[in-house]
């Protein structure tokens, strides 16, 4: 497969307070992992910024208005107890969205088979009417809508293996049968949504996982719930909210996934993309807060996107 890697030089411009787990070093950890010779054949591009006004295809005007109000000329402003806006956050968010849209376009045009975007801030907690949970705008939701609006995709699937439920993505698409949202996540855990009985208009498939469970339970959840639902949905594009905070070392959650588990779930999604979408799959980085766990998870994920197998990684 030809796999595009979008890197984001402006990603470091979004700053959270000292000690916050969502930090610029995360992108450096990912870049370091993907600098390995194992990944020499990736097609590499830097994210180009886009006008953040495009966020209004999925958000109410209130969201950008509040971000503008809170953004300081220097230092760091606060949205809620764990979500912050720094003077460079708009530049970071604009390039995160821009980079993700570049990957979408490259995949839709067939320049590459699939793509991974190493971007921040994350997006899947941002609801239609509010930023929250480290997320300013919902990048993956914007990509899904733009795939439909600009590129004519009819049925877009979003699969989210971040350890947290993507309440924002669910909120935005809960009444839209043309977008499927399937999520595995630890429960109980922030943000508290993602119960099995939250099914939208039949387009939402939640698979909550108990704390301290490992990849065995995760694989059951995908085999029994998410993958059959995804197969029935028959998407023409698969988007992935790729968070690596289910990795056993992560400080924000208590699941015990290892690199092979990220490889396994990625392989299943690659297979599904081959079956329904002519391989079209775009993956966006969401969470992952232990730098070693993040590097290991991303390496496994991108190796399978590119080669179909994890292979031998250091
Ligand atoms: Zn997360």
């Amino acid at each position: 497969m030809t796999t595009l890697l979008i890197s984001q030089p402006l990603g470091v411009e979004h700053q959270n307070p000292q000690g916050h787990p969502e930090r610029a070093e995360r992108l450096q950890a990912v870049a370091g992992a993907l600098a390995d010779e194992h990944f020499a054949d990736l097609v590499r591009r830097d994210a180009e910024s886009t006008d953040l006004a495009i966020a209004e295809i999925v958000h109410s005007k209130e969201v950008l208005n509040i971000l503008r109000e809170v953004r300081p000329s220097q230092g760091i402003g606060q949205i809620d107890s764990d979500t912050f806006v720094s003077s460079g956050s708009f530049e970071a968010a604009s390039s995160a969205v821009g980079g993700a849209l570049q990957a979408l376009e490259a995949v839709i045009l067939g320049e590459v088979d699939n793509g991974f975007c190493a971007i921040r801030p994350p997006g899947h907690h941002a609801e239609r009417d509010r930023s929250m949970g480290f997320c300013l705008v919902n990048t993956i939701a914007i990509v899904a809508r733009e795939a439909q609006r600009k590129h004519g995709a009819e049925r877009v699937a979003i699969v989210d293996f971040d350890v947290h439920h993507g309440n924002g993505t669910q909120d935005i698409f809960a009444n839209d049968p043309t977008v499927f949202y399937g999520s595995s996540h630890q429960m109980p855990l922030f943000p508290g949504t993602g119960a099995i009985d939250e099914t939208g208009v039949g387009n939402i498939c939640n698979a909550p996982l108990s704390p301290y469970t490992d990849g065995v339970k995760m694989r059951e959840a995908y085999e029994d719930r998410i993958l059959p639902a995804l197969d029935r949905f028959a998407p023409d594009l698969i988007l992935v909210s790729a968070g690596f905070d289910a990795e056993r070392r992560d400080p924000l959650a208590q699941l015990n996934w290892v690199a092979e588990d990220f490889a396994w779930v990625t392989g299943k999604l690659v297979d599904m993309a081959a079956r329904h979408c002519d391989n079209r799959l775009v993956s966006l980085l969401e969470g992952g807060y232990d730098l070693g766990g993040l590097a290991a998870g991303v390496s496994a994920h991108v190796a399978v996107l590119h080669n179909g197998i994890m292979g031998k990684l250091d």
Side-chain angles (χ1 to χ4, degrees):
M1 296 267 218
T2 49
T3 296
L4 173 64
L5 170 64
I6 296 283
S7 301
Q8 185 202 13
L10 290 174
V12 300
E13 297 298 322
H14 171 63
Q15 290 174 355
N16 283 315
Q18 189 76 29
H20 194 289
E22 204 293 286
R23 57 211 193 274
E25 289 82 356
R26 298 177 60 241
L27 291 185
Q28 292 154 6
V30 170
L34 298 180
D36 189 282
E37 63 180 19
H38 194 84
F39 299 106
D41 293 339
L42 296 178
V43 178
R44 292 169 186 261
R45 293 179 191 162
D46 283 345
E48 289 164 15
S49 298
T50 191
D51 184 344
L52 206 51
I54 197 171
E56 291 179 359
I57 63 176
V58 300
H59 291 294
S60 56
K61 288 194 181 306
E62 188 74 359
V63 168
L64 288 186
N65 285 343
I66 289 176
L67 292 178
R68 284 189 201 99
E69 272 170 33
V70 172
R71 175 178 53 167
S73 55
Q74 54 184 359
I76 297 173
Q78 187 161 12
I79 300 262
D80 65 24
S81 61
D82 52 23
T83 311
F84 299 86
V85 184
S86 66
S87 54
S89 292
F90 270 58
E91 285 71 20
S94 300
S95 66
V97 173
L101 292 174
Q102 273 170 263
L104 171 69
E105 185 140 329
V107 165
I108 295 268
L109 295 179
E111 292 176 48
V112 293
D113 293 305
N114 56 37
F116 175 71
C117 302
I119 53 176
R120 68 184 282 274
H124 71 154
H125 293 306
E127 298 181 341
R128 180 180 180 279
D129 296 325
R130 64 170 173 170
S131 308
M132 61 175 276
F134 312 169
C135 301
L136 304 183
V137 298
N138 195 317
T139 308
I140 205 159
I142 296 166
V143 173
R145 242 340 152 232
E146 196 65 352
Q148 294 181 318
R149 196 176 75 154
K150 183 173 176 190
H151 300 290
E154 292 178 356
R155 302 172 66 76
V156 178
I158 300 172
V159 178
D160 184 336
F161 60 74
D162 188 279
V163 81
H164 302 94
H165 181 242
N167 60 295
T169 311
Q170 176 171 298
D171 174 63
I172 288 166
F173 296 116
N175 295 310
D176 183 348
T178 68
V179 178
F180 170 89
Y181 178 66
S183 173
S184 61
H185 44 274
Q186 180 180 321
M187 181 172 267
L189 190 67
F190 179 90
T193 50
I196 278 183
D197 63 1
E198 294 167 26
T199 55
V201 287
N203 62 322
I204 307 286
C205 178
N206 284 310
L209 301 168
S210 299
Y212 307 106
T213 57
D214 62 13
V216 174
K217 287 288 178 202
M218 177 277 282
R219 292 177 198 214
E220 284 174 13
Y222 277 87
E223 296 275 23
D224 295 348
R225 295 183 55 74
I226 295 174
L227 295 171
L230 177 59
D231 197 28
R232 283 194 299 274
F233 180 75
D236 45 26
L237 171 69
I238 295 177
L239 305 178
V240 183
S241 269
F244 298 90
D245 37 12
E247 209 270 350
R248 64 187 169 81
R249 285 167 276 184
D250 198 274
L252 298 195
Q254 291 81 39
L255 292 189
N256 290 315
W257 298 13
V258 294
E260 287 77 6
D261 297 315
F262 293 102
W264 181 87
V265 68
T266 305
K268 293 295 179 185
L269 298 177
V270 166
D271 289 349
M272 204 63 84
R275 181 178 164 97
H276 291 289
C277 320
D278 195 20
N279 300 319
R280 290 184 294 272
L281 182 153
V282 178
S283 174
L284 310 189
L285 179 64
E286 298 277 2
Y289 304 101
D290 177 89
L291 299 183
L294 174 62
V298 166
S299 294
H301 179 59
V302 176
V304 175
L305 289 181
H306 188 39
N307 301 318
I309 56 168
M310 184 168 132
K312 223 173 147 42
L313 295 169
D314 293 332

